[in-house]
Amino acid sequence: MVQLVIAFIILIAAAVLAGRVSRVKPRSLGHGQASESDRQQAAKSIRGLSSAIALGGVGIAVAIAATSCVYSLDVGEVAVIRNLGGSVSGSQSEAGFHAKAPWQSAIKYDTRNNLINFYGDTDYETTGGSEVGKQVSINDKSGASANIDIQVNYSLRPNAAVSLYRDYGSQENFVSKYISNDLRSVTREIAGKYDTITMLTDRGSFTRGVQKALSEKWKGMGLTVEQVSVQDVRYPKEITSAYAAAQSAEVQKRKASNEQETAKVEAETKRIKAQGEADANDILNSSLSENVLRQKYIDALSNAKNLTVVPDGSVPMVQTK
């Protein structure tokens, strides 16, 4: 539309200039001393110059107007075609050059992976479907406050561009008024379902919760959540210090518990070993009957060498020199 206005202005300017040139009188060029043939030649030159200005203006105006009838799309872009009165006549998502009426506008949306990145004290800046901004402040289920750095990659389905334009206008307006606010509100909502310990130790559960909530909420808008990444969860120092102390105490507790379990196992091993020895002795004692002992005695005598046997009850006499 801008090109069409420029072309119209150039056309008007060329017509005015050509008219003024055509009204120039040949006698003013000769100061009364030029011949009739010179005046005729001058008049002819003036007419030629006037025609050249008019034709040049028309050519430039047509060229500029022609550019307003053509627009191009890159891969990953969709254009919403807007009429002069503000109505929408359709959309186009095929890459390449396309034609439209001079009074129509092609409003482009980026359908490729867009990034919303909130971190630190960053100033807000929106470019197409992407935005950077300040960290998200939350209160968890335990009532503790924290600041979260979070990134979301999302893409836009081309067939949703027309409805988004009708509701929000440009893509930058849609991002700043809808996407940005949604991400912040969902992050705070999901954080309120997790206690401090979970937020500090199980960031993956919180991340999955945010991605699931965003996917369900944005599905009807024609948006697809590609990935959610929680870069950092920052609690006040007193909370992180208390958590570190609790973790240290837990480590010591588990260490003591492991040592107790080890002592119990060792004691049980000794008891089982002693019980086994006692049981073996009982079995051995119960098996040593009088007949068994007598037989062992006889076996020992049979295998002995240089042995003198003395009958029971006798007093042996040993001769010495």
Side-chain angles (χ1 to χ4, degrees), residues 65-124:
T67 61
S68 67
C69 298
V70 178
Y71 67 96
S72 64
L73 286 178
D74 195 1
V75 175
E77 287 184 326
V78 59
V80 176
I81 308 303
R82 177 184 179 276
N83 294 321
L84 183 60
S87 61
V88 176
S89 65
S91 64
Q92 177 62 255
S93 59
E94 185 178 350
F97 289 96
H98 303 278
K100 63 178 182 62
W103 55 85
Q104 291 179 324
S105 302
I107 301 170
K108 297 181 182 180
Y109 278 69
D110 192 344
T111 61
R112 288 169 289 201
N113 283 351
N114 295 291
L115 174 66
I116 308 298
N117 189 9
F118 293 150
Y119 63 97
D121 292 324
T122 307
D123 293 331
Y124 287 92

CSV table of all heavy atoms in Angstrom, one decimal, residues 65-124:
chain,number,residue,atom,x,y,z
A,65,ALA,N,4.5,0.9,-8.4
A,65,ALA,CA,3.1,0.3,-8.2
A,65,ALA,C,3.2,-1.2,-8.4
A,65,ALA,O,2.6,-2.0,-7.7
A,65,ALA,CB,2.1,0.9,-9.1
A,66,ALA,N,4.1,-1.6,-9.3
A,66,ALA,CA,4.2,-3.1,-9.6
A,66,ALA,C,4.8,-3.8,-8.4
A,66,ALA,O,4.4,-5.0,-8.1
A,66,ALA,CB,5.1,-3.3,-10.9
A,67,THR,N,5.7,-3.2,-7.7
A,67,THR,CA,6.3,-3.8,-6.6
A,67,THR,C,5.3,-4.1,-5.5
A,67,THR,O,5.5,-4.9,-4.6
A,67,THR,CB,7.5,-3.0,-6.0
A,67,THR,OG1,7.0,-1.7,-5.6
A,67,THR,CG2,8.6,-2.8,-7.0
A,68,SER,N,4.3,-3.3,-5.4
A,68,SER,CA,3.2,-3.4,-4.4
A,68,SER,C,2.3,-4.6,-4.8
A,68,SER,O,1.4,-4.9,-4.0
A,68,SER,CB,2.4,-2.1,-4.3
A,68,SER,OG,1.7,-1.9,-5.4
A,69,CYS,N,2.4,-5.1,-5.9
A,69,CYS,CA,1.6,-6.3,-6.4
A,69,CYS,C,2.3,-7.6,-6.2
A,69,CYS,O,1.7,-8.7,-6.5
A,69,CYS,CB,1.2,-6.1,-7.8
A,69,CYS,SG,0.2,-4.6,-8.2
A,70,VAL,N,3.5,-7.6,-5.7
A,70,VAL,CA,4.3,-8.8,-5.6
A,70,VAL,C,5.0,-8.9,-4.2
A,70,VAL,O,5.4,-7.8,-3.7
A,70,VAL,CB,5.4,-8.9,-6.7
A,70,VAL,CG1,6.3,-10.2,-6.5
A,70,VAL,CG2,4.8,-8.9,-8.1
A,71,TYR,N,5.0,-10.0,-3.6
A,71,TYR,CA,5.6,-10.2,-2.3
A,71,TYR,C,6.3,-11.6,-2.3
A,71,TYR,O,5.9,-12.5,-3.1
A,71,TYR,CB,4.7,-10.1,-1.1
A,71,TYR,CG,3.6,-11.2,-1.0
A,71,TYR,CD1,3.8,-12.3,-0.2
A,71,TYR,CD2,2.4,-11.1,-1.8
A,71,TYR,CE1,2.8,-13.3,-0.1
A,71,TYR,CE2,1.5,-12.0,-1.7
A,71,TYR,CZ,1.7,-13.2,-0.9
A,71,TYR,OH,0.7,-14.1,-0.8
A,72,SER,N,7.3,-11.8,-1.5
A,72,SER,CA,8.0,-13.1,-1.4
A,72,SER,C,7.9,-13.7,0.0
A,72,SER,O,7.7,-13.0,1.0
A,72,SER,CB,9.4,-12.9,-1.8
A,72,SER,OG,10.1,-12.1,-0.9
A,73,LEU,N,7.9,-15.0,0.0
A,73,LEU,CA,7.9,-15.8,1.3
A,73,LEU,C,9.1,-16.7,1.3
A,73,LEU,O,9.4,-17.4,0.4
A,73,LEU,CB,6.6,-16.6,1.4
A,73,LEU,CG,5.3,-15.9,1.7
A,73,LEU,CD1,4.2,-16.8,1.8
A,73,LEU,CD2,5.5,-15.1,3.0
A,74,ASP,N,9.8,-16.7,2.5
A,74,ASP,CA,10.9,-17.7,2.7
A,74,ASP,C,10.3,-19.0,3.3
A,74,ASP,O,9.1,-19.0,3.7
A,74,ASP,CB,11.8,-17.1,3.7
A,74,ASP,CG,13.2,-17.8,3.7
A,74,ASP,OD1,13.3,-18.8,3.0
A,74,ASP,OD2,14.1,-17.4,4.5
A,75,VAL,N,11.1,-20.0,3.3
A,75,VAL,CA,10.7,-21.3,3.9
A,75,VAL,C,10.4,-21.0,5.4
A,75,VAL,O,11.3,-20.4,6.1
A,75,VAL,CB,11.7,-22.4,3.7
A,75,VAL,CG1,11.3,-23.6,4.5
A,75,VAL,CG2,11.9,-22.7,2.2
A,76,GLY,N,9.3,-21.5,5.9
A,76,GLY,CA,9.0,-21.2,7.3
A,76,GLY,C,8.3,-20.0,7.6
A,76,GLY,O,8.2,-19.5,8.8
A,77,GLU,N,7.7,-19.3,6.6
A,77,GLU,CA,6.9,-18.1,6.7
A,77,GLU,C,5.5,-18.3,6.2
A,77,GLU,O,5.3,-19.1,5.3
A,77,GLU,CB,7.6,-16.9,6.0
A,77,GLU,CG,8.8,-16.4,6.7
A,77,GLU,CD,9.3,-15.1,6.0
A,77,GLU,OE1,9.2,-15.1,4.7
A,77,GLU,OE2,9.9,-14.3,6.6
A,78,VAL,N,4.6,-17.6,6.8
A,78,VAL,CA,3.2,-17.6,6.2
A,78,VAL,C,2.8,-16.1,6.2
A,78,VAL,O,3.1,-15.3,7.1
A,78,VAL,CB,2.2,-18.4,7.1
A,78,VAL,CG1,2.2,-17.9,8.6
A,78,VAL,CG2,0.8,-18.4,6.5
A,79,ALA,N,2.0,-15.8,5.1
A,79,ALA,CA,1.6,-14.4,5.0
A,79,ALA,C,0.0,-14.3,5.1
A,79,ALA,O,-0.7,-15.1,4.4
A,79,ALA,CB,2.0,-13.8,3.6
A,80,VAL,N,-0.5,-13.4,5.9
A,80,VAL,CA,-1.9,-13.1,5.9
A,80,VAL,C,-2.2,-11.9,5.0
A,80,VAL,O,-1.5,-10.9,5.2
A,80,VAL,CB,-2.3,-12.8,7.4
A,80,VAL,CG1,-3.8,-12.4,7.4
A,80,VAL,CG2,-2.0,-14.0,8.3
A,81,ILE,N,-3.1,-12.1,4.1
A,81,ILE,CA,-3.4,-11.0,3.1
A,81,ILE,C,-4.5,-10.1,3.6
A,81,ILE,O,-5.6,-10.6,3.8
A,81,ILE,CB,-3.8,-11.6,1.7
A,81,ILE,CG1,-2.7,-12.6,1.3
A,81,ILE,CG2,-3.9,-10.5,0.7
A,81,ILE,CD1,-1.3,-12.1,1.2
A,82,ARG,N,-4.2,-8.9,3.9
A,82,ARG,CA,-5.1,-7.9,4.5
A,82,ARG,C,-5.6,-6.9,3.4
A,82,ARG,O,-4.8,-6.4,2.7
A,82,ARG,CB,-4.4,-7.2,5.6
A,82,ARG,CG,-5.3,-6.1,6.3
A,82,ARG,CD,-4.4,-5.4,7.3
A,82,ARG,NE,-5.2,-4.3,8.0
A,82,ARG,CZ,-5.3,-3.1,7.5
A,82,ARG,NH1,-4.8,-2.8,6.3
A,82,ARG,NH2,-6.0,-2.2,8.1
A,83,ASN,N,-6.9,-6.7,3.3
A,83,ASN,CA,-7.5,-5.8,2.4
A,83,ASN,C,-7.3,-4.3,3.0
A,83,ASN,O,-7.0,-4.1,4.1
A,83,ASN,CB,-8.9,-6.1,2.1
A,83,ASN,CG,-9.1,-7.4,1.4
A,83,ASN,OD1,-8.3,-7.8,0.5
A,83,ASN,ND2,-10.1,-8.2,1.8
A,84,LEU,N,-7.6,-3.4,2.1
A,84,LEU,CA,-7.5,-2.0,2.5
A,84,LEU,C,-8.4,-1.6,3.6
A,84,LEU,O,-8.0,-0.9,4.5
A,84,LEU,CB,-7.8,-1.1,1.3
A,84,LEU,CG,-7.7,0.4,1.5
A,84,LEU,CD1,-6.2,0.8,1.8
A,84,LEU,CD2,-8.1,1.2,0.2
A,85,GLY,N,-9.6,-2.1,3.7
A,85,GLY,CA,-10.5,-1.8,4.8
A,85,GLY,C,-10.2,-2.5,6.1
A,85,GLY,O,-10.9,-2.3,7.1
A,86,GLY,N,-9.3,-3.5,6.1
A,86,GLY,CA,-8.9,-4.2,7.3
A,86,GLY,C,-9.4,-5.6,7.4
A,86,GLY,O,-9.0,-6.4,8.3
A,87,SER,N,-10.2,-6.0,6.4
A,87,SER,CA,-10.6,-7.4,6.3
A,87,SER,C,-9.5,-8.3,5.8
A,87,SER,O,-8.5,-7.9,5.2
A,87,SER,CB,-11.9,-7.6,5.4
A,87,SER,OG,-11.5,-7.2,4.1
A,88,VAL,N,-9.6,-9.6,6.0
A,88,VAL,CA,-8.6,-10.6,5.6
A,88,VAL,C,-9.2,-11.4,4.5
A,88,VAL,O,-10.3,-11.9,4.5
A,88,VAL,CB,-8.3,-11.5,6.8
A,88,VAL,CG1,-7.3,-12.6,6.3
A,88,VAL,CG2,-7.7,-10.7,7.9
A,89,SER,N,-8.4,-11.5,3.4
A,89,SER,CA,-8.8,-12.3,2.2
A,89,SER,C,-8.2,-13.7,2.2
A,89,SER,O,-8.6,-14.5,1.3
A,89,SER,CB,-8.4,-11.5,1.0
A,89,SER,OG,-7.0,-11.4,0.8
A,90,GLY,N,-7.3,-14.0,3.1
A,90,GLY,CA,-6.7,-15.4,3.1
A,90,GLY,C,-5.3,-15.4,3.5
A,90,GLY,O,-4.8,-14.4,4.1
A,91,SER,N,-4.6,-16.5,3.2
A,91,SER,CA,-3.2,-16.6,3.6
A,91,SER,C,-2.4,-17.4,2.6
A,91,SER,O,-3.0,-18.1,1.8
A,91,SER,CB,-3.1,-17.2,5.0
A,91,SER,OG,-3.5,-18.5,5.0
A,92,GLN,N,-1.1,-17.3,2.7
A,92,GLN,CA,-0.2,-18.1,1.8
A,92,GLN,C,1.0,-18.5,2.6
A,92,GLN,O,1.6,-17.8,3.3
A,92,GLN,CB,0.2,-17.2,0.6
A,92,GLN,CG,1.2,-17.8,-0.4
A,92,GLN,CD,0.6,-19.0,-1.1
A,92,GLN,OE1,0.9,-20.2,-0.7
A,92,GLN,NE2,-0.3,-18.8,-2.0
A,93,SER,N,1.4,-19.8,2.4
A,93,SER,CA,2.5,-20.3,3.1
A,93,SER,C,3.5,-21.0,2.2
A,93,SER,O,4.6,-21.5,2.7
A,93,SER,CB,2.0,-21.4,4.2
A,93,SER,OG,1.3,-22.4,3.5
A,94,GLU,N,3.3,-21.0,0.9
A,94,GLU,CA,4.3,-21.6,0.0
A,94,GLU,C,5.4,-20.6,-0.3
A,94,GLU,O,5.2,-19.4,-0.6
A,94,GLU,CB,3.6,-22.0,-1.3
A,94,GLU,CG,4.5,-22.7,-2.3
A,94,GLU,CD,3.8,-23.1,-3.5
A,94,GLU,OE1,2.5,-23.0,-3.6
A,94,GLU,OE2,4.4,-23.6,-4.5
A,95,ALA,N,6.7,-21.1,-0.1
A,95,ALA,CA,7.8,-20.3,-0.4
A,95,ALA,C,7.9,-19.8,-1.8
A,95,ALA,O,7.6,-20.6,-2.7
A,95,ALA,CB,9.1,-21.0,0.0
A,96,GLY,N,8.4,-18.6,-2.1
A,96,GLY,CA,8.5,-18.1,-3.4
A,96,GLY,C,7.8,-16.7,-3.6
A,96,GLY,O,7.5,-16.0,-2.6
A,97,PHE,N,7.7,-16.3,-4.8
A,97,PHE,CA,7.0,-15.0,-5.1
A,97,PHE,C,5.5,-15.2,-5.3
A,97,PHE,O,5.1,-16.2,-6.0
A,97,PHE,CB,7.6,-14.3,-6.4
A,97,PHE,CG,9.0,-13.8,-6.1
A,97,PHE,CD1,10.1,-14.6,-6.5
A,97,PHE,CD2,9.2,-12.6,-5.6
A,97,PHE,CE1,11.4,-14.2,-6.2
A,97,PHE,CE2,10.5,-12.1,-5.4
A,97,PHE,CZ,11.6,-12.9,-5.7
A,98,HIS,N,4.7,-14.2,-4.9
A,98,HIS,CA,3.3,-14.3,-5.0
A,98,HIS,C,2.7,-12.9,-5.4
A,98,HIS,O,3.3,-11.9,-5.1
A,98,HIS,CB,2.6,-14.8,-3.7
A,98,HIS,CG,3.2,-16.1,-3.2
A,98,HIS,ND1,2.7,-17.3,-3.7
A,98,HIS,CD2,4.2,-16.4,-2.3
A,98,HIS,CE1,3.4,-18.3,-3.1
A,98,HIS,NE2,4.3,-17.7,-2.3
A,99,ALA,N,1.6,-12.9,-6.1
A,99,ALA,CA,0.9,-11.7,-6.5
A,99,ALA,C,-0.2,-11.4,-5.6
A,99,ALA,O,-0.9,-12.2,-4.9
A,99,ALA,CB,0.4,-11.9,-7.9
A,100,LYS,N,-0.5,-10.1,-5.5
A,100,LYS,CA,-1.6,-9.6,-4.7
A,100,LYS,C,-2.1,-8.2,-5.3
A,100,LYS,O,-1.4,-7.6,-6.1
A,100,LYS,CB,-1.3,-9.4,-3.2
A,100,LYS,CG,-0.2,-8.3,-3.0
A,100,LYS,CD,0.1,-8.2,-1.5
A,100,LYS,CE,1.1,-7.1,-1.3
A,100,LYS,NZ,0.7,-5.7,-1.7
A,101,ALA,N,-3.2,-7.7,-4.9
A,101,ALA,CA,-3.7,-6.4,-5.4
A,101,ALA,C,-2.8,-5.3,-4.7
A,101,ALA,O,-2.3,-5.5,-3.6
A,101,ALA,CB,-5.1,-6.2,-5.0
A,102,PRO,N,-2.7,-4.2,-5.4
A,102,PRO,CA,-1.8,-3.1,-4.9
A,102,PRO,C,-2.3,-2.6,-3.5
A,102,PRO,O,-1.5,-2.1,-2.7
A,102,PRO,CB,-1.9,-2.0,-6.0
A,102,PRO,CG,-2.3,-2.8,-7.2
A,102,PRO,CD,-3.2,-3.9,-6.8
A,103,TRP,N,-3.6,-2.7,-3.3
A,103,TRP,CA,-4.2,-2.1,-2.0
A,103,TRP,C,-4.2,-3.2,-0.9
A,103,TRP,O,-4.6,-2.9,0.2
A,103,TRP,CB,-5.6,-1.6,-2.3
A,103,TRP,CG,-6.5,-2.7,-2.9
A,103,TRP,CD1,-7.2,-3.7,-2.2
A,103,TRP,CD2,-6.7,-2.9,-4.3
A,103,TRP,NE1,-7.9,-4.4,-3.1
A,103,TRP,CE2,-7.6,-4.0,-4.4
A,103,TRP,CE3,-6.3,-2.2,-5.4
A,103,TRP,CZ2,-8.1,-4.4,-5.6
A,103,TRP,CZ3,-6.8,-2.7,-6.7
A,103,TRP,CH2,-7.6,-3.7,-6.8
A,104,GLN,N,-3.7,-4.3,-1.2
A,104,GLN,CA,-3.6,-5.4,-0.2
A,104,GLN,C,-2.2,-5.4,0.5
A,104,GLN,O,-1.2,-5.0,-0.1
A,104,GLN,CB,-3.9,-6.8,-0.7
A,104,GLN,CG,-5.3,-7.0,-1.2
A,104,GLN,CD,-5.5,-8.3,-1.7
A,104,GLN,OE1,-4.7,-8.9,-2.4
A,104,GLN,NE2,-6.7,-8.9,-1.5
A,105,SER,N,-2.1,-5.8,1.8
A,105,SER,CA,-0.9,-6.0,2.5
A,105,SER,C,-0.6,-7.4,2.8
A,105,SER,O,-1.6,-8.2,3.2
A,105,SER,CB,-0.9,-5.1,3.8
A,105,SER,OG,-1.2,-3.8,3.5
A,106,ALA,N,0.6,-7.8,2.8
A,106,ALA,CA,1.0,-9.2,3.2
A,106,ALA,C,1.7,-9.1,4.5
A,106,ALA,O,2.8,-8.6,4.7
A,106,ALA,CB,2.0,-9.8,2.1
A,107,ILE,N,1.0,-9.6,5.6
A,107,ILE,CA,1.5,-9.5,6.9
A,107,ILE,C,2.1,-10.9,7.3
A,107,ILE,O,1.4,-11.9,7.3
A,107,ILE,CB,0.4,-9.2,7.9
A,107,ILE,CG1,-0.1,-7.8,7.5
A,107,ILE,CG2,0.9,-9.2,9.3
A,107,ILE,CD1,-1.4,-7.4,8.3
A,108,LYS,N,3.4,-10.9,7.5
A,108,LYS,CA,4.1,-12.2,7.6
A,108,LYS,C,4.2,-12.7,9.1
A,108,LYS,O,4.4,-11.9,10.0
A,108,LYS,CB,5.5,-12.1,7.1
A,108,LYS,CG,5.5,-11.8,5.6
A,108,LYS,CD,7.0,-11.7,5.0
A,108,LYS,CE,7.0,-11.4,3.5
A,108,LYS,NZ,8.3,-11.3,3.0
A,109,TYR,N,4.1,-14.0,9.2
A,109,TYR,CA,4.3,-14.7,10.5
A,109,TYR,C,5.4,-15.8,10.3
A,109,TYR,O,5.5,-16.4,9.3
A,109,TYR,CB,3.0,-15.4,11.0
A,109,TYR,CG,2.0,-14.5,11.7
A,109,TYR,CD1,1.3,-13.5,10.9
A,109,TYR,CD2,1.8,-14.6,13.0
A,109,TYR,CE1,0.4,-12.7,11.6
A,109,TYR,CE2,0.8,-13.8,13.6
A,109,TYR,CZ,0.2,-12.9,12.9
A,109,TYR,OH,-0.8,-12.1,13.5
A,110,ASP,N,6.2,-15.9,11.3
A,110,ASP,CA,7.3,-16.9,11.3
A,110,ASP,C,6.8,-18.2,11.9
A,110,ASP,O,6.4,-18.2,13.1
A,110,ASP,CB,8.5,-16.4,12.1
A,110,ASP,CG,9.8,-17.3,11.9
A,110,ASP,OD1,9.6,-18.4,11.4
A,110,ASP,OD2,10.9,-16.8,12.2
A,111,THR,N,6.8,-19.3,11.2
A,111,THR,CA,6.3,-20.6,11.7
A,111,THR,C,7.3,-21.5,12.2
A,111,THR,O,7.1,-22.6,12.7
A,111,THR,CB,5.5,-21.3,10.6
A,111,THR,OG1,6.3,-21.6,9.5
A,111,THR,CG2,4.3,-20.4,10.1
A,112,ARG,N,8.6,-21.1,12.0
A,112,ARG,CA,9.7,-22.0,12.4
A,112,ARG,C,9.8,-21.9,13.9
A,112,ARG,O,9.2,-21.1,14.6
A,112,ARG,CB,11.0,-21.6,11.7
A,112,ARG,CG,11.0,-22.0,10.3
A,112,ARG,CD,12.2,-21.3,9.6
A,112,ARG,NE,12.0,-19.9,9.4
A,112,ARG,CZ,12.7,-19.2,8.5
A,112,ARG,NH1,13.5,-19.7,7.7
A,112,ARG,NH2,12.4,-17.9,8.4
A,113,ASN,N,10.8,-22.7,14.5
A,113,ASN,CA,11.0,-22.7,15.9
A,113,ASN,C,11.3,-21.4,16.4
A,113,ASN,O,12.3,-20.8,16.1
A,113,ASN,CB,12.1,-23.7,16.3
A,113,ASN,CG,11.6,-25.2,16.2
A,113,ASN,OD1,10.4,-25.4,16.1
A,113,ASN,ND2,12.5,-26.1,16.3
A,114,ASN,N,10.4,-20.8,17.3
A,114,ASN,CA,10.6,-19.5,17.9
A,114,ASN,C,11.0,-19.8,19.4
A,114,ASN,O,10.6,-20.8,20.0
A,114,ASN,CB,9.3,-18.7,17.8
A,114,ASN,CG,9.0,-18.3,16.4
A,114,ASN,OD1,9.7,-17.6,15.8
A,114,ASN,ND2,7.9,-18.9,15.9
A,115,LEU,N,11.7,-18.8,19.9
A,115,LEU,CA,12.3,-19.0,21.3
A,115,LEU,C,11.8,-17.9,22.2
A,115,LEU,O,11.9,-16.7,21.9
A,115,LEU,CB,13.8,-19.0,21.2
A,115,LEU,CG,14.5,-19.0,22.6
A,115,LEU,CD1,14.3,-20.4,23.3
A,115,LEU,CD2,16.0,-18.8,22.4
A,116,ILE,N,11.2,-18.3,23.3
A,116,ILE,CA,10.9,-17.4,24.4
A,116,ILE,C,11.9,-17.6,25.5
A,116,ILE,O,12.0,-18.8,26.1
A,116,ILE,CB,9.5,-17.6,25.0
A,116,ILE,CG1,8.5,-17.5,23.8
A,116,ILE,CG2,9.2,-16.5,26.0
A,116,ILE,CD1,8.5,-16.2,23.1
A,117,ASN,N,12.7,-16.7,25.9
A,117,ASN,CA,13.8,-16.9,26.8
A,117,ASN,C,13.8,-15.8,27.9
A,117,ASN,O,14.0,-14.6,27.7
A,117,ASN,CB,15.2,-16.8,26.1
A,117,ASN,CG,16.3,-17.2,27.0
A,117,ASN,OD1,16.1,-17.7,28.1
A,117,ASN,ND2,17.5,-17.0,26.5
A,118,PHE,N,13.4,-16.2,29.1
A,118,PHE,CA,13.3,-15.3,30.3
A,118,PHE,C,14.4,-15.7,31.2
A,118,PHE,O,14.5,-16.8,31.8
A,118,PHE,CB,12.0,-15.5,31.0
A,118,PHE,CG,10.8,-15.0,30.2
A,118,PHE,CD1,9.6,-15.5,30.3
A,118,PHE,CD2,11.0,-14.0,29.2
A,118,PHE,CE1,8.5,-15.1,29.6
A,118,PHE,CE2,9.9,-13.5,28.5
A,118,PHE,CZ,8.7,-14.1,28.6
A,119,TYR,N,15.3,-14.7,31.5
A,119,TYR,CA,16.5,-15.0,32.4
A,119,TYR,C,17.0,-13.7,33.0
A,119,TYR,O,17.0,-12.6,32.3
A,119,TYR,CB,17.6,-15.7,31.6
A,119,TYR,CG,18.2,-14.9,30.5
A,119,TYR,CD1,19.4,-14.2,30.7
A,119,TYR,CD2,17.6,-14.9,29.2
A,119,TYR,CE1,19.9,-13.5,29.6
A,119,TYR,CE2,18.1,-14.1,28.2
A,119,TYR,CZ,19.3,-13.4,28.4
A,119,TYR,OH,19.9,-12.7,27.4
A,120,GLY,N,17.5,-13.8,34.2
A,120,GLY,CA,18.2,-12.7,34.9
A,120,GLY,C,17.3,-11.4,34.8
A,120,GLY,O,16.1,-11.4,34.9
A,121,ASP,N,18.0,-10.3,34.7
A,121,ASP,CA,17.3,-9.0,34.6
A,121,ASP,C,17.4,-8.4,33.2
A,121,ASP,O,17.5,-7.2,33.0
A,121,ASP,CB,18.0,-8.0,35.6
A,121,ASP,CG,17.8,-8.4,37.0
A,121,ASP,OD1,16.7,-8.9,37.4
A,121,ASP,OD2,18.8,-8.2,37.8
A,122,THR,N,17.2,-9.3,32.2
A,122,THR,CA,17.2,-9.0,30.8
A,122,THR,C,16.1,-8.0,30.4
A,122,THR,O,15.0,-8.1,30.9
A,122,THR,CB,17.1,-10.2,29.9
A,122,THR,OG1,18.1,-11.1,30.4
A,122,THR,CG2,17.4,-9.9,28.5
A,123,ASP,N,16.4,-7.0,29.6
A,123,ASP,CA,15.4,-6.1,29.1
A,123,ASP,C,14.5,-6.9,28.0
A,123,ASP,O,15.0,-7.7,27.3
A,123,ASP,CB,16.0,-4.9,28.4
A,123,ASP,CG,16.8,-4.0,29.4
A,123,ASP,OD1,16.3,-4.0,30.6
A,123,ASP,OD2,17.8,-3.4,29.0
A,124,TYR,N,13.3,-6.5,28.0
A,124,TYR,CA,12.4,-7.1,27.0
A,124,TYR,C,12.6,-6.7,25.6
A,124,TYR,O,12.8,-5.5,25.3
A,124,TYR,CB,10.9,-6.8,27.4
A,124,TYR,CG,10.4,-7.5,28.6
A,124,TYR,CD1,10.5,-6.9,29.9
A,124,TYR,CD2,9.9,-8.8,28.6
A,124,TYR,CE1,10.1,-7.5,31.0
A,124,TYR,CE2,9.4,-9.4,29.7
A,124,TYR,CZ,9.5,-8.8,30.9
A,124,TYR,OH,9.1,-9.5,32.1
